[in-house]
């Protein structure tokens, strides 16, 4: 008879499974997140001093906006252009 009291109680039919799933999900997500973080840490590669020197010793090209502007102006002739009309959807 005491068994029927537990099964008829809404806490044991709905509340307890909800609480257990919530706690188990929280623990599971925490473990999976820890695994993901550990995998990322293992993938991280520390550079040796020789690799750092090789990467930083390369020569960089000096860049200026003014030089780039003049280079593009020489490349494009703005005096000779043709207006091209794009057809409208109903004209296709």
């Amino acid at each position: 008879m005491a068994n029927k009291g537990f099964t008829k109680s809404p806490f044991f039919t709905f509340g307890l499974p909800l609480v257990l799933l919530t706690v188990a999900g929280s623990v599971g997500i925490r473990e999976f997140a820890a695994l993901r973080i550990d995998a990322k840490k293992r993938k991280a590669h520390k550079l040796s001093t020789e690799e750092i020197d090789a990467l930083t010793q390369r020569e960089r090209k000096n860049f200026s906006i003014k030089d780039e502007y003049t280079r593009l102006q020489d490349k494009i002739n703005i005096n000779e252009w043709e207006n091209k009309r794009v057809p409208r959807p109903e004209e296709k």
Side-chain angles (χ1 to χ4, degrees):
M1 294 276 172
N3 242 355
K4 288 185 181 182
F6 285 120
T7 56
K8 285 187 178 184
S9 171
F11 173 73
F12 289 110
T13 24
F14 301 111
L16 187 62
L18 177 69
V19 170
L20 289 176
L21 282 174
T22 305
V23 170
S26 172
V27 170
I29 288 175
R30 183 178 49 200
E31 291 300 319
F32 282 122
L35 286 174
R36 191 183 77 196
I37 291 170
D38 290 343
K40 281 186 179 180
K41 283 182 182 177
R42 275 189 237 125
K43 279 186 180 180
H45 173 69
K46 288 191 174 184
L47 296 175
S48 67
T49 55
E50 294 85 21
E51 291 172 329
I52 292 172
D53 289 341
L55 289 174
T56 56
Q57 293 297 329
R58 66 180 178 174
E59 291 182 26
R60 290 187 162 224
K61 228 167 69 172
N62 289 335
F63 178 82
S64 77
I65 295 291
K66 203 173 215 178
D67 293 340
E68 189 68 19
Y69 177 72
T70 56
R71 187 183 68 81
L72 287 174
Q73 262 189 336
D74 294 340
K75 190 188 238 184
I76 299 171
N77 187 0
I78 61 171
N79 295 326
E80 297 175 15
W81 60 278
E82 181 183 341
N83 189 12
K84 295 184 180 178
R85 188 171 184 276
V86 177
R88 295 181 179 157
E90 57 266 1
E91 292 177 355
K92 287 185 180 182

